[in-house]
Amino acid sequence: MIEVLPIFTNSPLRNFTYLIFSHRTGEVYCVDPYNAPLIINQIKKLGLKLKGILNTHEHGDHTEGNLELKAETNCLVYGHKLAKGKIPGLDKTLEEGDVCFSVEGETIEVWDTPGHTFSHLSFVHKNPKTILGIFSGDTLFNVGVGNCFRGGDPNVLYDTIQTKYASLPDSCILYPGHDYLENNLAFATHVEPNHEFRESFQKTRKDQFIATIGWEKKISPFFRPDSDSLKSRLTELGETITDNRSIFLALRKLRDHW
């Protein structure tokens, strides 16, 4: 089976790095390395060999550890085809449907998920029956979505959320690129004060939160455009609401200044 180790980096931007591995094969892949020494230490503790780096996108806080890890382990660096020349050490490009890792029927599959940038990938952990988890980079966070002012487009992000993420099973575990939970919960309460946002969630370690897509659909305003209280509050805040897309765009605009 494929196992996942989240690493909270304590970086200024509260980055998450993830190790995806199998003790059966002895291989590990790293999603969005930030602190290379910390990652190398964890891999040594696991007794595994780093085969590859999976970059969700080109922003420096998601590629910070690429070159140091590559020099130390001779691993390959993977990323979006539009990120050539932007991702340090990029060796191979990935497209929709590619399989990065496969063990005993479980796979890590590539989704092309533009919006935060136009060269953004998400990595989906699947078995033959369902999707177990998704490494979302800066597309989807706990109770929030990524910004679009560093090479993206909020309309495209809306399409990605609707066509890809909204179809995920409720049991799917979300592995976001950052821990923005506290601020996102505060924003969600601001735009929908009558909704009970601060319900229980699983806190697995300090500053590391694990939630499911089902939890996100209940809590995140970006998944709840049909909420009458949300529509009323956005109108009160001076936003023009015509359809679900306009609600999403209004929320993203307000969050940019939160």
Side-chain angles (χ1 to χ4, degrees), residues 6 13 16 74 77 107 120 125-126 175 187 197-198 211 239:
L13 292 175
F16 279 119
N74 293 315
V77 177
T107 59
H120 196 295
H125 179 197
K126 303 174 68 174
Y175 300 106
F187 173 74
F197 290 102
R198 296 185 182 275
E239 301 298 325

Side-chain angles (χ1 to χ4, degrees), residues 50-123:
L50 182 63
K51 297 291 290 185
I53 292 168
L54 306 177
N55 288 133
T56 58
H57 62 294
E58 71 273 25
H59 289 159
D61 55 315
H62 294 260
T63 65
E64 176 75 19
N66 279 16
L67 296 182
E68 189 173 347
L69 283 176
K70 188 175 180 178
E72 180 76 17
T73 66
N74 293 315
C75 68
L76 295 178
V77 177
Y78 299 85
H80 197 285
K81 61 184 178 181
L82 297 181
K84 291 180 181 179
K86 301 176 182 178
I87 290 180
L90 182 64
D91 295 298
K92 293 188 175 183
T93 60
L94 298 169
E95 297 185 6
E96 175 86 18
D98 286 347
V99 173
C100 304
F101 190 28
S102 180
V103 180
E104 297 177 331
E106 293 189 12
T107 59
I108 302 296
E109 184 178 303
V110 176
W111 277 7
D112 193 351
T113 52
H116 175 64
T117 76
F118 283 91
S119 49
H120 196 295
L121 302 172
S122 298
F123 300 101

Side-chain angles (χ1 to χ4, degrees), residues 214-227:
W215 188 85
E216 295 299 331
K217 289 176 180 177
K218 291 178 181 179
I219 302 303
S220 175
F222 292 93
F223 274 119
R224 305 179 65 254
D226 293 331
S227 164

